[in-house]
Amino acid sequence: MKWSNRVQIVTGHTCLHIATHSLVIAALVWGWKHKALVEVSSTLVAAYAVVFITMLALQRSARLRRIGDSLEEVTTTYYFGAAMLTLFLISRFFHNNLLIGCLGVVMLIGPALVSLLSKEPAPRVEKKRS
């Protein structure tokens, strides 16, 4: 068994997934240590937006659907991190705690509401009358 398969079995994540997590954390620590956290956060949020838009475009193509699905996994995993970085960036410009709190609640509840509302209703099964 390859070592990458063992890592995936033990952690539940692929090596690429773990490396991406590590790079994001390293970038945030580097930005914090060098007093460039706003710039690093902006770059990470912009990268998330690019990956998200690319995912939407690739999922429309039948030939590129597999790549779009893998990008969907990435965007799903990093949604909350990007949301928190966005809240951090917004808090640098707006100093209203109520506004920041409301935006945070919307960012946390939004994906759940969209997924609940976008699901197709279950087909009705008609009962036979005897």
Side-chain angles (χ1 to χ4, degrees), residues 48 52 74-84 106-111:
Y48 177 82
F52 186 77
V74 170
T75 57
T76 303
T77 302
Y78 289 105
Y79 171 78
F80 292 108
M84 294 303 112
V106 167
M107 287 180 178
L108 290 174
I109 294 176

Side-chain angles (χ1 to χ4, degrees), residues 29-51:
V29 169
W30 182 89
W32 176 61
K33 300 267 292 174
H34 290 87
K35 298 189 185 333
L37 195 54
V38 172
E39 292 84 1
V40 170
S41 297
S42 300
T43 304
L44 289 173
V45 169
Y48 177 82
V50 167
V51 170

Side-chain angles (χ1 to χ4, degrees), residues 48-70:
Y48 177 82
V50 167
V51 170
F52 186 77
I53 291 168
T54 305
M55 176 211 55
L56 290 176
L58 292 180
Q59 284 188 333
R60 302 251 184 240
S61 170
R63 290 184 302 146
L64 302 173
R65 179 79 179 170
R66 178 180 274 163
I67 297 169
D69 288 344
S70 63

Side-chain angles (χ1 to χ4, degrees), residues 4 7-8 11-20 73:
S4 60
V7 169
Q8 187 171 3
T11 64
H13 299 289
T14 63
C15 289
L16 180 64
H17 198 90
I18 294 169
T20 307
E73 183 179 328

Side-chain angles (χ1 to χ4, degrees), residues 93-110:
F93 298 104
F94 298 107
H95 302 288
N96 185 343
N97 290 338
L98 182 61
L99 174 68
I100 301 299
C102 289
L103 282 173
V105 168
V106 167
M107 287 180 178
L108 290 174
I109 294 176

